Amino acid sequence: MRARATTIAISGKGGTGKTMLSSLLVRYFSRYGSVFAIDADPDSNLPEALGVKIKKDVGAVREDILDIRADKVSPSMTKKDLFEMELLQIIEEGKAFDLLVMGRSEGAGCYCTINHILREVIDTKSKNYDTVIIDCEAGLEHLSRRTTRGADIMIVVTDATKKGILTARRVKELSLEVDIEFDRIVVIANKVTPETRHIMEELGRENGLDIIGYVPFDPLISQYDAMGRSLLELPEEAPSVSSAYEIFGRIRQEAEEKYRKRGG
Ligand SMILES: Nc1ncnc2c1ncn2[C@@H]1O[C@H](COP(=O)(O)OP(=O)(O)OP(=O)(O)O)[C@@H](O)[C@H]1O
Ligand SMILES: [Mg+2]
């Protein structure tokens, strides 16, 4: 176990394959150590991709806590204690990984204190794992909300479209603007075909993006998703899985080197 986990956040345009790649990341990294998966997309679907049923999400706990009147909390326990306890209880503990689902974001009202506690609980809890994987919501909102603050690697997923590339470029630019420092921002191009690969390479260069790998369009993924089957069951020899694993192998090696240099 490490003093600090390697945190990998996955972002990008809607429907590009963030959840698909997040679930493969969970599967890959859980072979090498403990994994904490966080579904930070309000329109959550990482649990299905991982074949897990969750009891409750953070959004629901947050609302419950806000609804409790201060005088109804027992004197020996503050709302903060209660919130912390509930958060730890809703983390699904599996054999290969643990999972926390954030759920819907806040409604009206002041959530600053409660979000601060949430941040603290996640930061403290994350230290118990080798790898933390965060499946973000589509677009850029998570950057301004700083959900992904503190990630070591931000993987921006694009599909084989110019729109996907332009979103990736905006994620990179905005993270510099709002001063969120990732050690690295990299791009994975997903659903790529032999016809589109060179176009993506060209677009990546033009937009100053570091495309670290290409995952092919794989009909097996659509088939599994259509049937609501967990992507953890995809055969390893499937072209999508083997290309993703090759990319993740490089990410893991880099994280190991960084860890060694830090003197871990
Ligand atoms: N390599 C691939 N080959 C074929 N289909 C794929 C591939 N990757 C993802 N898909 C399909 O693309 C769709 C979107 O994938 P996924 O849900 O992982 O994207 P997402 O970025 O998480 O979407 P959202 O923005 O809605 O959260 C799914 O229907 C999935 O089956
Ligand atoms: Mg998703």
Side-chain angles (χ1 to χ4, degrees), residues 15-20 22 39 41 43-46 135-138:
T16 48
K18 297 179 290 297
T19 300
M20 186 281 287
S22 298
D39 187 348
D41 184 354
D43 186 15
S44 147
N45 47 27
L46 187 61
D135 181 9
C136 299
E137 64 183 305

Side-chain angles (χ1 to χ4, degrees), residues 47-104:
E48 287 78 39
L50 293 171
V52 175
K53 269 207 162 56
I54 60 138
K55 292 186 281 290
K56 206 170 183 182
D57 62 33
V58 175
V61 173
R62 188 163 39 201
E63 294 307 321
D64 286 354
I65 299 287
L66 286 171
D67 284 346
I68 299 174
R69 278 175 39 194
D71 59 350
K72 294 279 182 221
V73 185
S74 93
S76 58
M77 203 183 247
T78 61
K79 268 195 177 192
K80 177 175 186 277
D81 297 334
L82 197 63
F83 187 47
E84 279 180 3
M85 199 179 72
E86 287 256 349
L87 281 178
L88 294 174
Q89 272 170 5
I90 59 164
I91 296 176
E92 282 294 326
E93 294 184 352
K95 251 194 270 156
F97 57 86
D98 292 350
L99 171 68
L100 179 68
V101 177
M102 304 298 281
R104 67 184 188 284

Side-chain angles (χ1 to χ4, degrees), residues 48-51 221 223-235:
E48 287 78 39
L50 293 171
I221 295 189
Q223 208 180 316
Y224 271 57
D225 262 342
M227 294 189 294
R229 242 178 116 174
S230 162
L231 299 180
L232 297 185
E233 291 168 20
L234 279 168

Side-chain angles (χ1 to χ4, degrees), residues 189-234:
N190 182 33
K191 305 195 226 184
V192 175
T193 59
E195 297 75 28
T196 51
R197 180 166 169 147
H198 73 279
I199 305 175
M200 299 317 286
E201 285 171 349
E202 187 66 38
L203 283 170
R205 268 195 299 275
E206 274 172 27
N207 289 281
L209 298 171
D210 181 12
I211 304 186
I212 58 162
Y214 298 82
V215 175
F217 180 88
D218 187 347
L220 208 53
I221 295 189
S222 328
Q223 208 180 316
Y224 271 57
D225 262 342
M227 294 189 294
R229 242 178 116 174
S230 162
L231 299 180
L232 297 185
E233 291 168 20
L234 279 168

